[in-house]
Amino acid sequence: MGIFEVMESGVQTYARSFPVVFNKAQGAWLTDKSGKRYLDFLAGAGTLNYGHNHPVLKEALIDYIQADGITHGLDMHTSAKGAFLTALQDIILKPRGLDHVAQFTGPTGTNAVEAAMKLARKVTGRDNIVAFTNGFHGVSLGALAATGNQHHRGGAGTVLANVTRLPYDGYPGAGEDSLLLFETMLNDNSSGLDKPAAVLFEVVQGEGGLNVASMDWLKKLQSICRQHDILMIVDDIQAGCGRTGTFFSFEPAGIKPDIITLSKSLSGYGLPFALVLIRPDLDQWEPGEHNGTFRGNNHAFVTARRALEIFWQDDEFASAVRAKGELLTARLQRLVERHPSLFVKVKGRGMMQGIKCRDGDIADAITTKAFERGLVIETAGPDDEVVKCLCPLIISEQDLKQGLDWLEEAINDTAGERLGKAS
């Protein structure tokens, strides 16, 4: 561990929670240098929906490299890019009635969000963006302005401007209809709300604590945006690529966003890759207006195409994800009912669920004890109070149950310790 302590910045986070040196990974399992195996309920914060080193994706990537396929090509045309775009159009977009064009940004999700916000402002000529409480959209300055978390915002060192924050669905104190405030302010010339270029939101808020927007809320938000000529940007970076049981998290609501951002599991293999999907009439960029040296990762094109072909040609994979999500819900709900002194409720949707603890200390104790057993699992929420299950979607039912067993043991130990202290 010495080299990491000497050379690496104090900004690192996950390494503090999981202080071992990982050496290998396959499927839903990680192995450290000593040979100990860990079940991965973190999955690269949602980057490894198809697990570590999926054999078919690995074979495609190795074959491409051995054939001297293009590694880096700026935004030039390559066979790998063409094959990915064809798969994206035929397997994902057309069947869902989407005709969006693809913009390849720098390889991080936050860069995709930056591009989406910039384009919305360029097209509409308006500066303001509406974002929502507990939203997380990245930590570069533009995306950070739309991010709610004060810890991350505190790292900016400057003013974060041109974003209006409104209550997300179910936000405490917002009432039954949290969009009523938005609609009222838009219709009131003295509300002080500058008409926004766009609304930017997650259908399931990952880092914000697994808050879920209802289908009715999503439909009403779209209706408001259409009525007032405001663009809808869905940040599907963590909730997309099948995490909620459909490829896009917004599909069950029947809405059609104007702009969609994707990253994380898009490559299928953990490779850096980000994409903005844009309604064609909004694609008003001048050449090079938003560019970057690493826009379009050809190795990621290869694995992303194969992931679409393997998992998304029909509903079989998505159906299996939904079934595992139901199993996860049932197990987590049982834990909440058994330990009312520790927990508030189950949160999330599909394979993006967790348990809200009564405070962050409880969540931290549980995840620490889980790691001691061999379960890599993190927390989320404004006070890190949500224990968040984000395992690979390809996890077997047996491994999913094993991970949940370890989680239950960690919870039982935590409950026992707290009971002992109380007595």
Side-chain angles (χ1 to χ4, degrees):
M1 298 292 286
I3 189 63
F4 303 107
E5 294 170 356
V6 171
M7 289 297 299
E8 196 166 358
S9 164
V11 77
Q12 64 178 333
T13 53
Y14 292 108
R16 299 177 188 276
S17 299
F18 313 115
V20 298
V21 179
F22 292 109
N23 194 39
K24 293 177 59 179
Q26 213 290 313
W29 290 89
L30 291 157
T31 305
D32 70 16
K33 287 185 70 174
S34 73
K36 181 175 179 178
R37 300 175 76 221
Y38 298 82
L39 252 180
D40 189 358
F41 269 40
L42 173 59
T47 301
L48 297 162
N49 282 3
Y50 313 112
H52 297 269
N53 290 304
H54 190 283
V56 178
L57 305 184
K58 178 169 63 176
E59 181 181 18
L61 180 58
I62 290 172
D63 288 347
Y64 181 80
I65 293 171
Q66 288 185 332
D68 291 329
I70 299 293
T71 297
H72 182 269
L74 296 170
D75 68 351
M76 292 184 286
H77 301 320
T78 65
S79 58
K81 182 197 284 188
F84 166 73
L85 286 170
T86 299
L88 178 69
Q89 182 182 61
D90 292 346
I91 298 172
I92 301 300
L93 299 182
K94 280 185 177 179
R96 291 161 178 80
L98 301 174
D99 60 355
H100 293 48
V101 298
Q103 177 186 358
F104 299 106
T105 67
T108 62
T110 192
N111 197 286
V113 171
E114 294 280 356
M117 295 172 73
K118 282 171 61 175
L119 182 60
R121 286 167 170 149
K122 173 183 170 66
V123 169
T124 63
R126 306 176 209 136
D127 293 332
N128 194 28
I129 301 282
V130 163
F132 293 91
T133 50
N134 291 311
F136 182 89
H137 302 287
V139 295
S140 54
L141 288 181
L144 185 57
T147 292
N149 185 279
Q150 289 299 321
H151 172 73
H152 293 294
R153 292 175 67 85
T158 190
V159 174
L160 300 171
N162 298 323
V163 169
T164 298
R165 189 95 40 206
L166 291 175
Y168 190 74
D169 192 17
Y171 189 73
E176 293 184 4
D177 183 3
S178 66
L179 291 177
L180 179 60
L181 174 63
F182 185 30
E183 192 170 32
T184 302
M185 293 176 76
L186 286 170
N187 290 321
D188 182 356
N189 289 329
S190 293
S191 69
L193 173 66
D194 294 326
K195 185 174 181 179
V199 297
L200 170 64
F201 65 99
E202 304 155 273
V203 173
V204 181
Q205 294 183 325
E207 302 308 305
L210 300 178
N211 307 304
V212 179
S214 70
M215 301 303 131
D216 288 343
W217 191 88
L218 294 169
K219 291 174 183 176
K220 181 163 185 178
L221 179 59
Q222 176 174 265
S223 176
I224 292 170
C225 289
R226 296 288 182 263
Q227 182 181 351
H228 292 274
D229 190 30
I230 299 166
L231 301 180
M232 285 182 65
I233 305 171
V234 169
D235 179 343
D236 230 11
I237 289 166
Q238 187 167 125
C241 299
R243 177 56 58 178
T244 64
T246 51
F247 186 84
F248 295 112
S249 64
F250 55 81
E251 289 179 49
I255 64 172
K256 290 190 176 181
D258 302 295
I259 302 174
I260 305 159
T261 61
L262 293 169
S263 185
K264 287 194 183 286
S265 279
L266 181 60
S267 80
Y269 202 71
L271 299 173
F273 187 20
L275 179 67
V276 183
L277 297 173
I278 305 165
R279 207 179 73 202
D281 59 298
L282 301 176
D283 184 28
Q284 297 177 24
W285 290 116
E286 295 293 330
E289 269 193 313
H290 189 92
N291 61 18
T293 303
F294 293 100
R295 62 193 185 280
N297 180 344
N298 280 268
H299 289 169
F301 290 150
V302 172
T303 54
R305 172 182 62 87
R306 289 298 287 136
L308 296 182
E309 292 170 345
I310 295 167
F311 296 106
W312 295 103
Q313 294 277 12
D314 54 36
D315 193 54
E316 183 179 352
F317 175 68
S319 178
V321 172
R322 292 191 290 271
K324 291 173 193 173
E326 291 172 4
L327 187 158
L328 182 59
T329 301
R331 285 290 301 268
L332 295 180
Q333 186 60 46
R334 189 172 74 188
L335 292 171
V336 168
E337 291 169 359
R338 285 183 177 177
H339 299 282
S341 64
L342 299 183
F343 303 131
V344 178
K345 61 180 178 180
V346 176
K347 302 187 71 178
R349 201 177 100 202
M351 289 290 278
M352 190 176 180
Q353 296 188 63
I355 305 178
K356 182 178 181 179
C357 303
R358 297 203 173 274
D359 57 56
D361 290 341
I362 294 173
D364 180 65
I366 291 169
T367 55
T368 299
K369 294 179 186 303
F371 183 65
E372 291 170 359
R373 286 167 169 78
L375 183 65
V376 175
I377 188 169
E378 70 163 336
T379 59
D383 298 306
D384 293 318
E385 78 283 6
V386 178
V387 177
K388 181 180 179 184
C389 297
L390 212 66
C391 54
L393 303 183
I394 52 85
I395 192 171
S396 68
E397 186 173 314
Q398 178 181 353
D399 284 346
L400 177 58
K401 290 179 177 178
Q402 174 66 83
L404 292 171
D405 286 346
W406 281 337
L407 178 61
E408 184 169 353
E409 291 173 11
I411 289 168
N412 290 338
D413 282 359
T414 301
E417 285 185 2
R418 291 175 68 86
L419 183 62
K421 289 178 181 177
S423 60

